[in-house]
Amino acid sequence: MSIKKQFVKTKPVCKVTFSVEAKQAASASVVGDFNSWNLAEGALSKLKNGTFKATFDLNKDASYEFKYVIDGQFINEPDADSFKWNDFAGAENSVLSI
């Protein structure tokens, strides 16, 4: 799993690429504050090597809670910027700081 941030000098956004290796999985998404936790909006594309990947434009100077959903199972990003407890889910969420 990994996150790559590419800042755009001419716009107040950062291109964030989420990628997660899940060779046996049928589907994967990234859901969070930036897409209202919507599976369809966070759908990741499966590459030939078994990695799921997508890039999203996110506003700069913000912090977002998120998780991956792989075949219906919620998973944190181990290399997230930080983690935050979520009482609603009863678990920690990954946090992305831009």
Side-chain angles (χ1 to χ4, degrees):
M1 294 185 222
S2 71
I3 300 171
K4 291 184 183 175
K5 301 174 191 175
Q6 181 181 2
F7 291 92
V8 180
K9 291 181 183 179
T10 58
K11 296 179 182 177
V13 298
C14 178
K15 291 189 175 292
V16 180
T17 301
F18 296 90
S19 60
V20 57
E21 188 176 311
K23 293 180 182 180
Q24 306 303 319
S27 67
S29 293
V30 61
V31 295
D33 295 336
F34 54 88
N35 64 8
S36 300
W37 299 86
N38 185 310
L39 281 171
E41 289 183 26
L44 303 176
S45 300
K46 189 169 187 176
L47 307 178
K48 289 180 181 179
N49 66 2
T51 299
F52 286 85
K53 191 174 189 178
T55 302
F56 301 90
D57 288 349
L58 303 182
N59 291 328
K60 289 182 186 177
D61 302 321
S63 193
Y64 302 96
E65 291 185 41
F66 74 97
K67 280 189 180 270
Y68 294 111
V69 183
I70 301 171
D71 285 345
Q73 190 172 32
F74 288 84
I75 299 172
N76 275 327
E77 166 62 63
D79 296 327
D81 295 326
S82 62
F83 298 92
K84 184 176 180 184
W85 182 257
N86 179 317
D87 285 331
F88 178 76
E92 283 187 329
N93 288 336
S94 302
V95 176
L96 173 67
S97 298
I98 300 175

